[in-house]
Amino acid sequence: MSLLTLQGVGKTFGGVVAVDNASIVVEAGTIHGLIGPNGSGKSTTLNLISGIYRPTKGRVFFKGQDITDLPPHRRAAIGLGRTFQNIRLFPTMTVLENVMLGRAGHEQASIFGIAFGSRRSHQEAKDTRSRGMEALTFLGIGRHADSLPQNLPYGHRRLVEIARVIASGADVVLLDEPAAGMNTGEKQELAVTIQRMNERYRTTVILVEHDMRLLMSVSTRVSVLNFGRLIVTGGVAEVQAHPEVIRAYLGESEALA
Amino acid sequence: MMTGIYAQLLIQGLAIGAIYGLLALGFVLVINAVNILNFAQGEFLMLGAFLGVTLSTVAGLPFALVMVGVVLITGLLGIAFDFAVYRPMRHGDFATHLISTLAAAIIMRNVAQNVWGPEARSYYEPFHQKVFQLGPLLINPQHLLIFGVTLVLVGLLWVLFHRTGLGRLMRATAQDRATARLVGVRVDRIGTITFGLASAIGGLAGVLLAPLFLVDLNVGFIAALKAFVATIIGGWGSIPGALAGGLLVGLIEVFATHAFSSDYKDTAAFGVLMLFLVFRPGGMFPERIGEKA
Amino acid sequence: MIRFSAFAVAAAAIAACSAYFNFNSYLTSLIVFAAVHALLCLGFYVIFGLTGILSLAHAAFMAIGAYASGILSTRYGWPFPAAVVSAILIAGATGALLGIPTLRLKSHYLVLVTIAFSEVMRQLIANVDSLTGGVQGMNLTWSSRFWGIDFANPHVYLLLCLLILAGCIGALLRLRDTRIGRSLEAIRDDELAANVMGVDTTYFKILAFVVSAGIAGLAGALYAHFVVFLSPEHFTFDITILVLAMAVTGGKRSIAGVVIGAIILTFLPEVLRGLKDWYPTVYGLLLLLVLWFAPTGLVGKLHELWSARRHRQASPIPLENGLTK
């Protein structure tokens, strides 16, 4: 069942066509990889799904609803979460506070409720805190809850970002180059983490990655972009054998092996 | 004579506009070189004006020497400013720079108050109140002097930036400070020179302004705000834009004073600013300084 | 509740001392001014410390609060509590007036617009002299007897101000630890990420402007009924600079910081009596020194030193842009 659909989506910046007529269907429960050479429009596509960019053409559907005109914070509220390539954690807050912010779009208590200490606001605050701790514990970094992000090693900071989206309860999580800056061992752990997250929380994952091996090993379906155009969407083996994909990666053919 | 009035106002507006333009020029130079908003820029104008008074009335120097003297003194002050205010906070964020330049402005104004006293100063008259008659127009030679000096200064700056090695280094630093440093440009020294230049221009603007109006200690603050407006209208970081913006602000102010009362002249300038920011934040000329994405 | 009670007790203690030892009117007014300054700083804390928006229009909101309360009391005979509450609401609404059109402006532009806004407001107040008394100023008359207490009594007024201050501190302490506070801090730290995480940045930024302006308006109203004479000259940009200096000296990111900064810089002139003419230079230099050696403010610096000692590890490395906890 399609959870997220991009229908003929295009994005042009000035004269540059970053994404051209992309139609992608992401099924619920899958880990959907998005690959392509540099400049193929992967990041732009992710930003279009998040709502950071508005498409110049086409529509975006999420859970059957047209979200094309929905601003980013509203998309978070309906279950769309993401991480960033350059890890955007809030530097002056503790790890747990960062993770708790993942629930920002979901909490219902009004400003007045919070200000005057309504029962609902207390309950929600407790709920958010426990969700945050649970996410941190699930990823094995619970002991860092009260540390500042800058005091954590890079790999753990990445995990905090992932904990943030888990705590938010997002149904679809966009991972933007999560393995950037990691060594092989860390990447393997990351692959396992993504799969565990997918299994345990039934999170649909859209994964943009440069590391072909990592992406192909965790993805169930893959979409390939080149020059902003979608070449193919399909299973891993099908995509790897696709002639146009091979041509696009000519010179990097060993990465596909 | 309708045209007479408007031509008169036009000249007045352009003259005061040239002052704002010079001040804005100083801002833009500093913005381009070190990417900070120097709130003390207006105080260099104020100091230029007051120093001009002293040099001319107390020391009895002829006007040309007064200008030279003021330029030198305010230029040196600008260099001192770089060492005392900018360099220690080099790695701070926007707010830190802003607050430190504000603090410097407070100090400058207070020192001036203690040195010269709080009353407004009536200024010397370099041309001894002679005015020329040209058709229906009364031309104040001070206005002509302002235009002349501004043109000469702009010309000299152009030569500096486009025909000298130093100017090339300054432009390189403005366009990409990090890379300039990597290729060996002494960016700190360029910064110092830029501060000196900007403050000297501010001081010069003050000397030129003073004969037209009574100068008080607040003249720097108000003029600075209008120069800010000019900088924004002209397009952040653009030198011709700053000058054009200054002229525009001067014209708006003079015509607004004529149309409404002088109570609202500042409001008019700020009103234009807000309109620009709402409708055309890029200013009249395209924005040159890139922000971090 | 606990925190408020603690402050309330402290406030009552100070007020009791002032009555018992019969502080002279000068000392009493100094304490009242300290409270007013502290309130202004708290308002500034909300917009700048919490949300990271450098808005230098604070003097304008104080002025609006002062004049609103003053005019309602003097010309329309409104009772004191009603006038003050209205002042808060009017100032808050003006905050929205500034905040809404400026949401998308970058920091350079925003700060200039807020300064311009402040000057325009001040000049408007000066020009609408039929209502405000213009540059000549305005005398306040108000019915100070309420619930059998004479609020014009300096000791009573002092208690009132301190209680209100205590209430504000308590409220902000609580706010900071809730989703509201965290959302504002998230906007300060990384607005894009905050947006993507679900924080409605538009709503919260406007909220910050409104709350900040409202608190400044409250400070203005309390000031107005104490000095009973208002003039536009009282609300120049210098006030905003003073608030900025207080907040930065104490530590703009913490409630304790801004309050302590307010107290220090209110009493400092008394300590430096002999240097009266040079006072602005002194606090200009003080600001520069603080920025140079303790950019997180005195309280921030103490906190850093204390953390370092306590955790026996390298103190948090200050990030390039001056951020630390």
Side-chain angles (χ1 to χ4, degrees), chain B residues 39 88-89 91 93-95 99-100 103 106 110 114 221 225 228 232 236 263-264 266-267 277 281 287 291, chain C residues 48 106-109 111-113 115 120 123 127 237 241 244 248 277-278 280-281 284-285 288 291-292 320-321:
Chain B
F39 268 85
M89 324 290 173
H91 298 298
D93 60 349
F94 173 71
I99 298 169
S100 58
I106 297 169
N110 188 227
N114 281 298
F221 173 62
L225 278 183
F228 280 135
I232 291 177
W236 199 259
D263 292 337
Y264 288 99
D266 293 337
T267 315
L277 283 174
E287 195 166 297
E291 298 273 350
Chain C
F48 185 46
K106 287 186 284 221
S107 44
H108 305 96
Y109 295 160
V111 72
L112 295 177
V113 172
I115 298 176
V120 168
Q123 287 182 13
N127 289 331
F237 188 57
I241 295 181
L244 186 62
V248 169
D277 288 334
W278 292 94
T281 302
L285 286 171
L288 285 175
L291 286 174
W292 201 339
E320 256 252 311
N321 52 5

Side-chain angles (χ1 to χ4, degrees), chain C residues 9-293:
Chain C
V9 167
I14 297 176
C17 283
S18 114
Y20 185 72
F21 294 108
N22 204 21
F23 288 175
N24 63 42
S25 66
Y26 188 67
L27 183 55
T28 312
S29 52
L30 212 54
I31 299 176
V32 170
F33 286 142
V36 167
H37 290 151
L39 275 173
L40 285 172
C41 286
L42 286 175
F44 194 64
Y45 163 78
V46 171
I47 190 81
F48 185 46
L50 269 183
T51 318
I53 296 176
L54 186 56
S55 159
L56 295 182
H58 226 51
F61 300 124
M62 183 190 183
I64 289 169
Y67 273 92
S69 187
I71 290 168
L72 287 171
S73 305
T74 309
R75 287 185 205 279
Y76 298 101
W78 283 33
F80 178 51
V84 172
V85 169
S86 306
I88 298 173
L89 294 173
I90 295 173
T94 318
L97 192 68
L98 175 62
I100 292 172
T102 58
L103 284 171
R104 282 186 220 291
L105 290 181
K106 287 186 284 221
S107 44
H108 305 96
Y109 295 160
L110 180 74
V111 72
L112 295 177
V113 172
T114 57
I115 298 176
F117 178 85
S118 197
E119 260 308 289
V120 168
M121 279 294 140
R122 195 179 70 85
Q123 287 182 13
L124 277 176
I125 289 175
N127 289 331
V128 185
D129 43 10
S130 52
L131 192 62
T132 64
V135 286
Q136 256 89 33
M138 178 180 123
N139 280 302
L140 238 94
T141 53
W142 56 303
S143 41
S144 54
R145 282 215 155 267
F146 212 78
W147 300 324
I149 309 172
D150 179 19
F151 282 94
N153 177 319
H155 303 299
V156 175
Y157 203 80
L158 188 150
L159 178 64
L160 176 71
C161 289
L162 289 175
L163 283 175
I164 291 179
L165 177 64
C168 247
I169 293 176
L172 286 177
L173 278 170
R174 165 149 179 72
L175 190 100
R176 191 190 53 185
D177 288 331
T178 62
R179 171 169 64 101
I180 301 177
R182 270 196 301 277
S183 300
L184 293 175
E185 290 187 299
I187 293 174
R188 175 193 69 205
D189 283 358
D190 191 334
E191 196 174 331
L192 179 72
N195 226 324
V196 174
M197 290 306 130
V199 174
D200 186 347
T201 53
T202 302
Y203 176 78
F204 279 101
K205 280 160 83 166
I206 297 175
L207 182 70
F209 268 103
V210 169
V211 170
S212 164
I215 298 177
L218 172 61
L222 289 174
Y223 170 82
H225 290 270
F226 188 71
V227 298
V228 293
F229 175 72
L230 297 177
S231 147
E233 293 309 306
H234 294 174
F235 302 104
T236 60
F237 188 57
D238 289 341
I239 297 284
T240 305
I241 295 181
L242 180 65
V243 172
L244 186 62
M246 289 171 173
V248 169
T249 303
K252 59 187 191 250
R253 288 261 168 84
S254 83
I255 292 173
V258 298
V259 171
I260 288 174
I263 296 173
I264 293 177
L265 283 182
T266 306
F267 284 96
L268 198 60
E270 301 316 307
V271 175
L272 300 173
R273 267 304 184 76
L275 294 170
K276 190 164 175 258
D277 288 334
W278 292 94
Y279 186 58
T281 302
V282 169
Y283 75 57
L285 286 171
L286 177 69
L287 255 183
L288 285 175
L289 285 172
V290 166
L291 286 174
W292 201 339
F293 294 113

